[in-house]
Amino acid sequence: MADEIRARVCTHIDEKLQALSSTFLEHTTFRVPSQLYEVNEKAYEPEIISIGPYHRGKSHLKMMEVHKVRFLRMLLRRTLIHQIFDGNMDEYIFRLDLIFSSVLHDVILFENQLPFFVLWELFGMMRENERNLYVQSLLLLFYGKIPGRVDVAYDNTSIRSVKHLLDLAHGNWLPSREVMEDYSRVPKDGNWSFIRSATELKEAGIRFKKSEGNSLFDIRFRNEVLEIPTIKILDTIESLYRNVIICEQFENKSPRYFTDFAKFIDCLINSGKDVKLLCHCRIIDNWLGDDEAVATMFNRLRDHVNLSPKEDFFYARICNDVNEHYNAPWNKRMGSLRHNYFNTPWAFISFLAAAFLLLLTLLQTTFTIFPRK
């Protein structure tokens, strides 16, 4: 009797576990974990339109509900998608820059997604042979928000790996092929540490330069110069960064390009002084105007976030090379000298004055000991 009860319980538990497992694997949209939500709730909230169940019914999003029904009617008449991608969208709501910008912002929020196969099937209803064209057009819409190469060729098989629109954008926001090849050739080693701030590195003789690459992730260190692409800081950038990072947190992949990038920049920026230095080098394009606000934003992006495993961290080699330069005895002494005596123009002037007085004292002593005959 006991064995029979035990067998029935085990069978029941197995059924429950199988149901949970299959249900989880079928999910493509999730909620933002509470610890991340509490850091900046606004970053994950839609501004104008809800997609999916998580934000439906909120009062500030009700205006678009009527328009969603109208667009559904147009879609059923096979006219909506043609108008959007043929560039003939006459709807006044899409001609308003403020509205269109908010829609673009909302459709790549992590909690505001639909499974991508739904969009894929809708594209097939319009023009079966031009689905890839629609996908490329979607990416081009976000090109200004998510810079990088657009290189897409999905078919009915590979499209199943795309979870939603944010996942599509993230999957095409990649380092350049050259940087990826360099990364693949580097031996994986977890014996390294994160770099110092930008002002500390400058004191050790490291210079900063704006790189000309097309990808945000193409950071290089060569000939004592740290090359970093320009980072444009707009008022919506924190929301974008946070949603891409949370997208990576739900993927079992390494490296996590964007999460690692955000951590690398966070290491460089400890205060507004670091932001000011990087702005001067044209690496940060600060549209917020407040250097301390930019520093705070990058410092908070790391909260409750998992990086790539240390041996897979995308910038491990750069960190190691920069630290080797920074920790060299001569560079450390020069850095200490610059920090203690040359950190302001007045300190430098005081040093010159002291050196000049020392020289005069030496001359006076020399002429006292060896007077002119």
Side-chain angles (χ1 to χ4, degrees):
M1 183 70 177
D3 291 341
E4 181 181 350
I5 294 175
R6 188 182 301 110
R8 288 167 59 187
V9 170
C10 290
T11 301
H12 180 70
I13 292 175
D14 285 341
E15 290 174 354
K16 289 284 188 181
L17 290 174
Q18 290 174 7
L20 283 173
S21 176
S22 61
T23 300
F24 182 81
L25 290 174
E26 290 173 0
H27 284 178
T28 58
T29 58
F30 300 90
R31 299 302 299 259
V32 174
S34 58
Q35 64 267 31
L36 285 173
Y37 210 83
E38 290 169 1
V39 176
N40 187 349
E41 179 179 339
K42 188 177 178 182
Y44 307 104
E45 289 275 351
E47 295 176 352
I48 196 170
I49 187 171
S50 66
I51 301 171
Y54 295 139
H55 297 278
R56 179 175 172 80
K58 293 186 176 181
S59 58
H60 70 287
L61 305 176
K62 289 183 178 179
M63 181 194 78
M64 286 297 293
E65 293 301 312
V66 174
H67 295 289
K68 286 163 66 174
V69 175
R70 292 177 58 248
F71 292 146
L72 172 62
R73 182 176 62 189
M74 295 173 65
L75 178 63
L76 295 175
R77 293 175 179 174
R78 308 294 198 270
T79 60
L80 177 61
I81 291 184
H82 290 309
Q83 290 186 34
I84 293 176
F85 293 109
D86 291 343
N88 299 318
M89 191 63 188
D90 294 327
E91 286 294 319
Y92 76 92
I93 197 166
F94 285 108
R95 297 200 303 268
L96 299 174
D97 290 341
L98 179 61
I99 299 295
F100 189 65
S101 177
S102 293
V103 170
L104 288 182
H105 167 270
D106 289 353
V107 297
I108 55 174
L109 296 179
F110 183 73
E111 289 188 343
N112 214 27
Q113 299 296 317
L114 284 176
F116 194 78
F117 73 83
V118 175
L119 293 176
W120 187 251
E121 292 302 321
L122 291 175
F123 294 157
M125 291 170 57
M126 302 300 104
R127 296 174 182 171
E128 176 67 31
N129 298 327
E130 297 185 8
R131 286 178 171 180
N132 280 342
L133 177 62
Y134 293 142
V135 172
Q136 291 179 5
S137 299
L138 280 171
L139 289 172
L140 289 172
L141 284 175
F142 301 115
Y143 188 79
K145 284 182 172 289
I146 302 182
R149 73 175 193 261
V150 178
D151 184 13
V152 184
Y154 290 114
D155 54 31
N156 285 315
T157 301
S158 62
I159 200 65
R160 294 179 182 177
S161 64
V162 179
K163 299 180 180 67
H164 39 67
L165 191 55
L166 175 60
D167 185 46
L168 174 72
H170 172 257
N172 288 272
W173 196 2
L174 300 171
S176 67
R177 290 180 177 85
E178 179 185 355
V179 170
M180 285 297 296
E181 290 171 0
D182 290 344
Y183 172 78
S184 65
R185 290 194 293 263
V186 175
K188 300 298 184 289
D189 183 7
N191 187 25
W192 57 273
S193 57
F194 290 114
I195 59 175
R196 311 294 294 182
S197 69
T199 51
E200 291 175 286
L201 296 181
K202 182 186 177 184
E203 290 169 355
I206 292 176
R207 291 172 290 136
F208 295 88
K209 177 184 176 183
K210 169 192 170 184
S211 73
E212 302 299 333
N214 186 43
S215 173
L216 186 68
F217 309 106
D218 289 2
I219 300 174
R220 295 179 175 87
F221 180 67
R222 48 195 174 190
N223 301 323
E224 302 181 1
V225 178
L226 191 56
E227 300 179 14
I228 305 173
T230 297
I231 308 168
K232 192 173 185 178
I233 307 297
L234 302 171
D235 58 352
T236 58
I237 202 68
E238 181 176 359
S239 176
L240 173 64
Y241 284 5
R242 286 189 175 279
N243 281 276
V244 175
I245 287 174
I246 191 61
C247 183
E248 289 186 337
Q249 298 296 294
F250 277 81
E251 292 182 350
N252 189 24
K253 297 178 183 178
S254 285
R256 296 178 173 128
Y257 301 114
F258 193 84
T259 306
D260 292 354
F261 166 82
K263 176 58 182 177
F264 186 86
I265 300 300
D266 171 48
C267 291
L268 289 176
I269 297 176
N270 283 343
S271 68
K273 290 182 178 180
D274 300 305
V275 176
K276 184 177 181 179
L277 170 60
L278 295 177
C279 286
H280 179 73
C281 298
R282 299 171 59 205
I283 291 172
I284 288 183
D285 185 9
N286 184 7
W287 286 48
L288 298 182
D290 185 343
D291 293 340
E292 290 294 342
V294 175
T296 300
M297 182 196 76
F298 275 107
N299 295 158
R300 295 175 69 201
L301 282 176
R302 68 191 180 199
D303 292 349
H304 308 296
V305 168
N306 294 318
L307 304 175
S308 299
K310 199 168 184 182
E311 62 273 12
D312 293 328
F313 186 74
F314 195 63
Y315 302 103
R317 181 176 181 178
I318 293 178
C319 287
N320 191 59
D321 292 346
V322 169
N323 284 332
E324 282 186 2
H325 177 93
Y326 178 83
N327 292 321
W330 173 254
N331 294 326
K332 292 197 76 170
R333 292 191 192 100
M334 290 300 297
S336 177
L337 182 65
R338 291 188 184 99
H339 179 77
N340 294 324
Y341 300 104
F342 302 143
N343 57 341
T344 67
W346 287 112
F348 181 66
I349 292 172
S350 299
F351 175 81
L352 290 179
F356 182 68
L357 290 173
L358 179 61
L359 179 60
L360 290 178
T361 302
L362 288 173
L363 289 174
Q364 183 180 18
T365 303
T366 300
F367 282 112
T368 300
I369 298 174
F370 305 103
R372 295 180 65 182
K373 296 180 180 179

